[in-house]
Amino acid sequence: FPQESAEMSALRALALSVLTAVLASGGNGIQPLGPGCHLYPFNVTIRSDRRGTCQGMQSISACVGYCESSAFPSKYSVLLASNFKRNITSVSQCCTINKMQKVRVKLFCGARKEEVDIFTARSCRCDMCRLSRY
């Protein structure tokens, strides 16, 4: 995000923190839809600062679910190439966001109103596991 203000950067970081906390705590009580990778809607409160000078609520979605994984003894060629240190080969996919959409959140600051853009998942898929995609 080119030339974004410190306040906007803080809001974006806060939104990501809230998303992580909501998902870690089980969200709004809705259970994932079983095997597969699915959109998971929940409400998030965005605050401009720790005091909550400006705040607003928005429904957004995350990707939640289960994807295929397996582990098996490595082939002899893998053992040779790794000097016999890689005796187990694992293959896995993670539930990831396939498409995202920008959502505008209205923040209410007493009599004044502000807007901030955050992202929500539009579609999900099982894909290569990565530390971070976005």
Side-chain angles (χ1 to χ4, degrees):
F1 300 100
Q3 298 180 350
E4 145 177 296
S5 70
E7 184 177 81
M8 292 303 284
S9 295
L11 280 173
R12 204 169 304 284
L14 179 63
L16 183 58
S17 301
V18 170
L19 171 63
T20 304
V22 168
L23 291 176
S25 67
N28 57 7
I30 299 172
Q31 294 298 315
L33 303 173
C37 183
H38 310 281
L39 284 173
Y40 184 81
F42 62 96
N43 292 321
V44 64
T45 299
I46 306 294
R47 294 189 172 110
S48 62
D49 55 33
R50 291 183 184 195
R51 295 184 316 243
T53 305
C54 302
Q55 63 182 12
M57 286 191 65
Q58 180 67 42
S59 178
I60 62 174
S61 295
C63 293
V64 176
Y66 309 91
C67 300
E68 185 177 345
S69 66
S70 60
F72 46 88
S74 296
K75 294 180 183 179
Y76 187 69
S77 60
V78 173
L79 290 171
L80 284 176
S82 69
N83 201 20
F84 293 88
K85 292 181 181 178
R86 306 270 186 233
N87 58 352
I88 297 173
T89 298
S90 63
V91 178
S92 61
Q93 292 188 323
C94 294
C95 183
T96 62
I97 295 173
N98 186 42
K99 292 183 182 174
M100 290 182 26
Q101 177 179 343
K102 195 182 293 188
V103 177
R104 185 154 286 167
V105 181
K106 292 180 182 177
L107 301 179
F108 298 93
C109 316
R112 191 175 98 251
K113 294 180 184 175
E114 292 182 14
E115 291 182 341
V116 62
D117 290 335
I118 62 172
F119 289 93
T120 184
R122 279 188 53 212
S123 66
C124 307
R125 71 177 179 179
C126 292
D127 197 3
M128 182 183 353
C129 300
R130 296 177 176 95
L131 182 60
S132 176
R133 284 190 71 180
Y134 304 102

